[in-house]
Amino acid sequence: MTDTHTATHPLQQPFRDAMASCAAGVHVITTDGSAGRYGITMTAVAPITDEPPTVLLCINRQSAIIPILSANSHLCINVLSAHQQDIAEHFAGLTPLSPEERFEYHIWHRGQTGQLQVEGALAHLHGKITAQHDIGTHHVFYVEIGEIKVHDTAAPALVYFRRNFNSLK
């Protein structure tokens, strides 16, 4: 049996390099509930179906948010605008802020289910985890969306491309 923490697949780095060539929207996923409050910056967010509206989230199994999301079961997908790069950096752990301090540097509101949404985001999608499983190094969550708020449709989006944050109009 191969130890997945030390062994690497021969295509791992070429795969990562190829995926870095795919521009992706930047999101901050937040959850708050009995297991605590937490947030994480993500690009591995994809729509699955619009009936019912469902989104897929892929998160590395080493991430501290996995047990918190699983226990809370509700979350908010904050679709970041180009001027919110600092938020993306905070929640990606690129700054020295603790997970709790990350929430202190921005203005937050609560959606109908009580989940935190950051002011100024292009959109907020609130949902409930309906299924989950592991594949390779990642945990996959299926989230049925129950509340959607679309805000500024003219502002540029924050995207991640070739391992850098960029603006897309």
Side-chain angles (χ1 to χ4, degrees), residues 71-85:
N72 287 347
S73 75
H74 285 88
L75 57 88
C76 178
I77 301 168
N78 295 276
V79 182
L80 299 185
S81 65
H83 77 278
Q84 294 179 307
Q85 181 175 333

Side-chain angles (χ1 to χ4, degrees), residues 5-152:
H5 298 292
T6 56
T8 59
H9 190 281
L11 292 178
Q12 183 181 35
Q13 193 58 50
F15 179 77
R16 288 179 177 183
D17 293 342
M19 292 301 100
S21 297
C22 299
V26 179
H27 313 82
V28 167
I29 309 305
T30 55
T31 185
D32 193 9
S34 61
R37 175 169 71 169
Y38 207 88
I40 186 174
T41 300
M42 291 187 60
T43 56
V45 176
I48 298 173
T49 180
D50 62 358
E51 197 172 312
T54 305
V55 175
L56 174 130
L57 308 176
C58 297
I59 306 172
N60 189 293
R61 290 190 304 191
Q62 303 296 320
S63 177
I65 199 171
I66 300 288
I68 299 168
L69 268 178
S70 295
N72 287 347
S73 75
H74 285 88
L75 57 88
C76 178
I77 301 168
N78 295 276
V79 182
L80 299 185
S81 65
H83 77 278
Q84 294 179 307
Q85 181 175 333
D86 62 331
I87 298 169
E89 291 171 348
H90 293 324
F91 284 88
L94 299 176
T95 64
L97 299 176
S98 72
E100 193 57 37
E101 289 172 326
R102 296 169 188 170
F103 287 98
E104 296 174 14
Y105 284 81
H106 312 286
I107 299 171
W108 298 89
H109 304 284
R110 292 199 183 265
Q112 295 170 358
T113 62
Q115 296 306 305
L116 291 164
Q117 56 188 37
V118 67
E119 186 172 291
L122 298 177
H124 300 106
L125 296 95
H126 295 264
K128 179 175 175 40
I129 297 168
T130 57
Q132 54 187 297
H133 70 272
D134 289 332
I135 184 163
T137 58
H138 281 63
H139 195 80
V140 180
F141 290 98
Y142 299 88
V143 181
E144 186 171 330
I145 304 300
E147 176 187 354
I148 299 172
K149 295 177 182 175
V150 178
H151 303 287
D152 192 344

